[in-house]
Structures are given as C-alpha cells and as structure tokens.
Amino acid sequence: MAPRTCGLCSLAKAILKRPKTGQQICRECFFYVFETEVHNTIIEAGLFKQGDRVAIGASGGKDSTVLAYVMKTLNERYNYGLELFLLSIDEGITGYRDDSLETVKRNQQQYNMPLKILSYDELYGWTMDAIVAKIGKKNNCTFCGVFRRQALDRGAAMLQVDHIVTGHNADDIAETVLMNIMRGDIARLGRCTSICTQGEDTIKRSKPFKYAYEKEIVMYAYFKKLDYFSTECIYSPDAYRGHARTFLKDLEAARPSAVIDIIHSGEAFDVKEEVKATQKSQQICKRCGYMSSNELCKACTLLEGLERGIANAGVTERGMKRLEAEGPPPESLRTIPFFNKPLSQLDGRPALFVEAPS
C-alpha cells in the first residue's frame, strides 16, 4: 500500500495523525497548523498589545519550552511587538527542579531571552524539600501551588512586566474542570476555563495553549527537537489531580474530542447571582499585601503554620482552629516580604538585575 499523502498540502508524505482532529499530515503542515491555531487563540482573545513586556513561566518542561519557542516564533512572524522574558520559580526540589533549571538556562541561550529565577527559599525561607520533610507528601501540592502562584506574580513584578503567560494546555484545563466538579468548588468552576485572569493588584496572566492538546505539544517538541526536561515532579504522584488525569485519558481514548468538549462545557457554566453573592470579595492581605479573600492570604497562613509547628493550619479547619487557639504570632515570626504593585505601574525602573543572555 502506497504511503498516504498529507491531508493538507497533498504533496508530502503524511507522517503523523493529529490527536486533536484525526488528520494525517506531514511534518511541516503540522508545525504550521499548530502555530496558526495558537496565533488564532491569541488574536481572538486579544491577549497582547504592541509594546507589552511578557514573562513566560518557564519550568524546563515540554509545555513551557514549546510555549517559549512558539511565542518567540509568532512574535517575529506576526510582529506582535512583545518584549519576552523567561521567569522560573525554584521550589527547592533536589533531583528535579535543580536539573530542570539547567534546561531553562540552556533555553535562555537558545531563544535569546532574559531570565529571572526566584526561589521559595529566597521568598519564604522554606524549600519544598524542607516542607515535605516537615509535613509529608499528603498535602505538599497545596503548599507548592499557593507558594508558586504568588512567587510568579512577585517575580513578574521584579521583571517589571505587564503579562505572564503559562504553558497550561487543554488537558490541564479539562482536568481542572473535572476536579472542581468532583470537589463541588463553585467559585473556581466559574473561572477555571478563563483564558485570561487578572486581579486588581496582580499581573495579567493567560494561557495561549488553552486549546492545544498535550499530545500535540509533545509531538511538536519531538519533531522540532526542542531541548526540554521530561521527568515528573517527585512529590506529585499522590496529587489529587492524578485521578482526574487518569479519568480524562480514559475518556479521550474512547472519544478524542472529550478534552475540548469538557472545556466548552466548563465555559458554558453560569454561576447564579445568589451563589456569587455568597462568595468572599477580594481584599489585601494585611501582612504581605498580596490579594486575599481573608485578612491573611493563603501563603501567609501556610507559612505561619510551618513556622509555628502547625503545618496543617492552612489546609484543614482543625489546623486553623489550633493556630487561632495559640494566640497572636510572635514578633520574630518569619513573614513574606510586602508585595508592591508591578513596577510598570509605578516608576518604570526594574527592581532587580536580570541576567541577559551572553
């Protein structure tokens, strides 16, 4: 049987079948349609404007590496007029993050982008290795997720950028929809499919890969021969997200469109006004100045629990009651540096030296 020709150009030999559409296409057509779909997502959502300074959340993994490559490619091809930076968060996970950051440093040279690395140790005085040694693996992803989100905003403020883009793909978003349904988390369910989020005192954050399948990102990285780190986090096997991921993979095997279908279902959810009225309004953490729905933000609560030997204070109601019963924190308590608004809204000068590619 003769090799099948590409379903798009009808010239070259088809070498892959797109997981997203089932089309059999050649390598060059795959690159073109993948990049064009991401470009269309960016344009339709109006993510950027000329002159924006954009930080790419870079972990060294496949998603962020492909995102950095594609953002650089599209910025040059379509003249977005963006100034691109790499922003990495070092959680302090020996044998995982230290190795992946070496990949990010190589990406810095390959893509000719300035790089900023901000560590948990620098910001919170704790590494994830130390946190896991203290609390075990049961709730470690809660600490990491909360600390990482705030660290990204703080790193972006240091870089003086207008916008953060992350490598969250269609599979990630579909998993989040499923997780929020299973947990009955109405507040997050109402916003988890948004391509772009921004609080009053936080930096705009978006997901250009919202409709890009994880399998296609892997294929793009493979055929482009991109340099990325492929090991999973050593502390994540017991994460709750893993159950949603397994369920989604089973659905996708039976129906490839399930990933996008779940995202569209999430987009169609409409939270009733009376439910919205019961949700807490955003305010400013009195201790660190970051956005919060309580007097203390989640990061400050988690850090205080760690410092005072009540590690589950920000995780369980019982832990919170115990922390409150202990009375006010000592004056010597380690706290997170006060969060200032992004410098691009202030005096226009960067706060820290950012290493540029040599």
Side-chain angles (χ1 to χ4, degrees):
M1 184 176 178
R4 189 183 294 265
T5 57
C6 172
L8 290 178
C9 69
S10 300
L11 298 172
K13 183 176 72 173
I15 63 168
L16 61 92
K17 181 178 179 180
R18 289 192 70 188
K20 187 175 183 178
T21 63
Q23 277 184 312
Q24 296 189 41
I25 56 179
C26 68
R27 184 182 317 191
E28 293 305 315
C29 283
F30 171 64
F31 294 154
Y32 177 77
V33 295
F34 182 88
E35 292 162 3
T36 302
E37 287 174 4
V38 175
H39 169 66
N40 290 341
T41 298
I42 289 170
I43 296 304
E44 288 167 12
L47 295 185
F48 311 116
K49 61 182 185 297
Q50 284 273 336
D52 274 354
R53 293 165 61 88
V54 179
I56 301 167
S59 66
K62 64 183 185 316
D63 298 313
S64 64
T65 300
V66 172
L67 179 62
Y69 182 90
V70 170
M71 284 296 300
K72 178 179 173 63
T73 299
L74 298 181
N75 190 38
E76 294 170 354
R77 179 183 300 164
Y78 297 105
N79 192 29
Y80 290 166
L82 306 178
E83 193 172 351
L84 300 175
F85 300 82
L86 295 176
L87 172 59
S88 293
I89 305 302
D90 180 3
E91 301 93 342
I93 304 175
T94 305
Y96 169 67
R97 183 55 72 214
D98 47 355
D99 291 339
S100 70
L101 285 175
E102 292 304 311
T103 303
V104 175
K105 291 173 184 176
R106 292 195 298 273
N107 291 160
Q108 173 200 7
Q109 302 297 322
Q110 293 157 356
Y111 305 151
N112 193 34
M113 295 180 192
L115 168 65
K116 168 66 186 168
I117 300 174
L118 180 63
S119 71
Y120 281 10
D121 192 27
E122 175 186 349
L123 188 56
Y124 307 114
W126 287 76
T127 63
M128 278 309 298
D129 285 343
I131 292 171
V132 171
K134 183 87 169 178
I135 69 167
K137 292 186 179 181
K138 186 175 180 181
N139 293 307
N140 67 86
C141 288
T142 298
F143 284 82
C144 196
V146 171
F147 284 173
R148 182 178 177 79
R149 179 172 183 82
Q150 189 168 148
L152 274 171
D153 275 333
R154 289 172 178 271
M158 292 173 180
L159 279 173
Q160 201 186 343
V161 300
D162 309 290
H163 199 137
I164 305 169
V165 292
T166 60
H168 291 93
N169 58 51
D171 298 58
D172 296 325
I173 296 170
E175 289 164 11
T176 303
V177 172
L178 293 174
M179 288 169 61
N180 289 330
I181 290 173
M182 290 188 286
R183 291 188 300 210
D185 194 332
I186 300 300
R188 286 191 176 90
L189 186 57
R191 62 177 185 265
C192 68
T193 57
S194 298
I195 191 170
C196 187
T197 57
Q198 182 176 26
E200 223 173 86
D201 290 295
T202 58
I203 295 167
K204 185 177 179 182
R205 187 182 301 217
S206 63
K207 302 179 278 279
F209 283 174
K210 177 181 176 180
Y211 299 114
Y213 273 36
E214 181 178 46
K215 288 179 180 176
E216 297 203 351
I217 292 172
V218 173
M219 291 166 67
Y220 187 93
Y222 173 77
F223 285 116
K224 282 286 187 180
K225 295 181 171 57
L226 300 185
D227 182 5
Y228 70 93
F229 184 76
S230 59
T231 303
E232 290 292 324
C233 175
I234 59 176
Y235 295 139
S236 68
D238 299 324
Y240 183 63
R241 178 176 289 273
H243 301 295
R245 179 172 297 137
T246 300
F247 180 51
L248 181 64
K249 294 305 179 190
D250 290 342
L251 288 176
E252 186 185 7
R255 179 185 171 94
S257 66
V259 176
I260 292 295
D261 292 342
I262 290 171
I263 293 175
H264 290 326
S265 296
E267 291 170 335
F269 279 123
D270 188 20
V271 181
K272 292 182 178 179
E273 290 302 321
E274 54 264 38
V275 175
K276 290 180 182 177
T278 65
Q279 297 172 9
K280 295 180 179 179
S281 58
Q282 290 293 318
Q283 53 183 301
I284 299 300
C285 174
K286 67 179 184 181
R287 186 174 293 168
C288 77
Y290 193 70
M291 66 174 183
S292 174
S293 55
N294 297 297
E295 281 195 349
L296 285 184
C297 70
K298 190 77 167 177
C300 281
T301 303
L302 290 170
L303 181 59
E304 182 177 343
L306 287 170
E307 291 289 323
R308 300 178 70 179
I310 311 171
N312 63 347
V315 180
T316 67
E317 188 175 341
R318 183 179 177 184
M320 180 60 75
K321 287 180 178 178
R322 185 183 163 198
L323 185 66
E324 291 170 352
E326 291 282 329
E331 290 185 7
S332 59
L333 181 78
R334 191 203 316 259
T335 58
I336 306 170
F338 200 83
F339 180 70
N340 294 308
K341 288 187 178 182
L343 291 171
S344 58
Q345 300 173 14
L346 300 175
D347 64 1
R349 291 174 297 173
L352 294 181
F353 172 77
V354 179
E355 183 183 357
S358 57

